[in-house]
Amino acid sequence: MKAKYVVINKMLKAVAIAGLEGSYDISLEGERISALTPSNARGGGIITPLFADIHVHLDKTYTFPRIAAKGPAKVECLFDAIDLMSTDREHWSADDIRARATRGLEAAFAQGVVAIRTHVDWTEPAFPLPGQ
């Protein structure tokens, strides 16, 4: 699902703003807010600050289709998920992780996420160097 909004005459009408009471019309000039006017109308959606995702494993994004292709997978706890990841690890290379992580970043950005803190597992004795 992609975030949606309707701009009419360079204005977002009757929106609720996170942290403020009531509804507002937001006037736009280019990509910037030029005015914020209280509105009696309702139903224009909600405006929130951009999102940050503080715990992501980009190295594990988009692995499920490969895991599911091997058959049913039952996950009842963290250790089940770790075991399933180990079955997919045979496909992992720096290029594979980079491609999946890039796809994950693009998907997050499309949903309004502008900051991500990620964790990457690497089980080899030598770890990949930045840029590899």
Side-chain angles (χ1 to χ4, degrees), residues 19-87:
L20 296 179
E21 295 287 325
S23 292
Y24 295 86
D25 294 337
I26 300 176
S27 299
L28 305 170
E29 286 187 23
E31 295 182 358
R32 299 202 177 258
I33 296 172
S34 60
L36 189 64
T37 309
S39 173
N40 291 325
R42 300 285 185 264
I46 186 166
I47 302 292
T48 65
L50 294 171
F51 300 110
D53 195 335
I54 61 169
H55 191 115
V56 177
H57 291 269
L58 286 171
D59 60 328
K60 294 172 181 66
T61 59
Y62 299 101
T63 56
F64 185 74
R66 293 190 304 217
I67 293 168
K70 294 179 180 181
K74 188 175 183 181
V75 178
E76 294 181 346
C77 68
L78 173 64
F79 299 108
D80 292 341
I82 291 169
D83 288 343
L84 286 172
M85 278 298 116
S86 69
T87 68

